[in-house]
Amino acid sequence: THTYPLTHTRRTRYYINPYCITLSLCELRHSASLANKVFIQRDYSEGTTCKFQTKFPSELESRIERTLFEDTVKTLNNYYAEAEKIGGQSYLEGCLACATAYLIFLCMETRYEKVLKKIAKYIQEQNEKIYAPRGLLITDPIERGMRVIEISIYEDRGSSGSSSGSSSVSGSTAR
Amino acid sequence: MSAVMITRKVRKWEKLPGKNTFCCDGRVMMARQKGVFYLTLFLITGTCALFFAFECPYLAVHLCPAIPVFAVLLFLFVMAMLLRTSFSDPGVLPRALPEEATFIEMEIEAANGNVPAGQRPPPRIRNVQINNQIVKLKYCYTCKIFRPPRASHCSICDNCVDRFDHHCPWVGNCVGKRNYRYFYLFTLSLSLLTIYIFTFDIVHVVMRSMNGGFLNTLKETPGTYPLKLSVLVCFFTLWSVVGLTGFHTYLISLNQTTNEDIKGSWSGKNRGQNPYSHKNIIKNCCEVLCGPTYPSVLDRRGLLQEDTLISSISVTMFIVLSLQKTTAPLIPNEHTPDDAKPSIAASAEKNASPKEEHPAATKVPPLASPETDAETSIAKERAH
């Protein structure tokens, strides 16, 4: 049996346009083939809070500028830090939820879930603007259990041009 | 010979490896052995039922009507916390997909270098520095990942759980990062409820004996049997539940898990070196109890498209069988790790284009479990 993840998962709540990310993926698939995958690991130097290493992997050296990559990872780290921040707001949310025996979460969204939506939107935006034109695709870490940021590297199939993302650029911008 | 591709929509929980039970179409997640959990439910509801039926009328009339009201609220809170602990995802870490597993294997081999033939390769350990303390991350051979710090593999549920505390049979689930606070509140509120019921049972006995003497009250039949039973149950559970609450309060103040405490990771010669502790009791308590509510990374109710290739011989049989409406009994879908094949899913994801048939194409897929909203549709037909 072959299983393909559909776009219509619970996580599509987090996307503004649920079909955007798979469209770019589909377009990449038609014009390019998956060459390799790089996994950015977690950085545990500050504890168990969610943070990813900003070390630039060697496989991406020829594909993307170091600064762009580092900016993406740093912004993601900031988002996760904001979600997991322990302060006044999290105490209030915790106490209020406890007082209602956590039934309030049936109607209210937790702060973490709100930030996850922002993260999903950010990753989609980054993929469209920066990564897909370079033949790369970032997978949201939550799809991988918040363990890694998976970056798929696509090779342009059958194109003799030097820039690997040429056909996929036209595909992804035409929406 | 021709073959048919059948496309089926299944929920992701059906394909999850591990020995968990799922109910309500993936909304509820528990361990397999639920016998002790039913016992817990029975003991709590039974004792409270006895209290409400036999003590409360007397106490409400002779003392204060607020007593049963508060008892009801407390009982509801206990049940809510118990069900929340039992039914939620404790923080299970999904297993690595094949590409990730290969990537990690390559990293390990690069780190180990050349191992001379005949020698055992060194254990797979990764050292990380957390707050200036070296912590060893172990490799999980089942999940094919390096376990994050404080995660552990539960052999009963066959899952790696983040911030693994322990597997609690009373609750019928693992206790981990996501449901630890509910577990703690459950033990705390249950202690309060037990003390409350015990106290008012004693008050009841005292008040009745003021009327007719202590021994006469005990000999009175049949109204005092529920009282005696209630007192007995409360007395024995009191010590264990209050003790457990005390133990977990101690762990929370030190920001340790039961697992770490048992293994002695941060005690004895390592005392004072817990890198996760804020060195402040209030801060530790606040982090564990009032910290953010972590989301589940298992997308249990997400949809997967399952394509199965079956030969024409079994097509007719399959169509006939699947078109029969399967009734949906309320038994949870329990599946062994053999049924779930994450490697196949991952290999399908890897190869984007439709590919050649597998020799297992003649295998008829298992019929839809009662909880799936499976729709069988014939996607395409291929001829050899």
Side-chain angles (χ1 to χ4, degrees), chain B residues 207-317:
Chain B
M207 286 175 76
R208 274 196 197 264
S209 59
M210 284 200 307
N211 294 339
F214 184 65
L215 286 172
N216 284 341
T217 314
L218 287 182
K219 281 183 200 157
E220 229 175 85
T221 57
T224 52
Y225 278 121
L227 172 63
K228 291 176 208 167
L229 189 64
S230 181
V231 169
L232 213 64
V233 171
C234 283
F235 185 74
F236 287 111
T237 53
L238 199 75
W239 300 114
S240 41
V241 178
V242 170
L244 190 67
T245 311
F247 174 63
H248 278 283
T249 313
Y250 162 75
L251 287 181
I252 288 176
S253 63
L254 291 178
N255 204 332
Q256 274 190 32
T257 63
T258 309
N259 198 324
E260 286 166 355
D261 187 73
I262 289 175
K263 287 185 184 164
S265 315
W266 312 116
S267 54
K269 61 177 171 67
N270 288 330
R271 189 180 284 280
Q273 289 176 4
N274 185 356
Y276 315 110
S277 169
H278 298 278
K279 313 280 184 232
N280 180 338
I281 292 180
I282 308 279
K283 268 197 176 177
N284 284 338
C285 291
C286 287
E287 187 197 309
V288 176
L289 299 174
C290 300
T293 34
Y294 298 94
S296 172
V297 295
L298 294 179
D299 187 21
R300 301 194 297 276
R301 304 200 66 234
L303 289 168
L304 279 177
Q305 197 168 295
E306 187 184 43
D307 296 331
T308 326
L309 223 49
I310 53 176
S311 72
S312 59
I313 303 161
S314 34
V315 163
T316 340
M317 190 175 83

Side-chain angles (χ1 to χ4, degrees), chain B residues 31 33-38 40 156 166-174:
Chain B
Q33 297 96 336
K34 296 180 280 292
V36 190
F37 169 66
Y38 294 137
T40 312
I156 302 172
H166 66 286
H167 181 98
C168 185
W170 299 96
V171 148
N173 204 356
C174 286

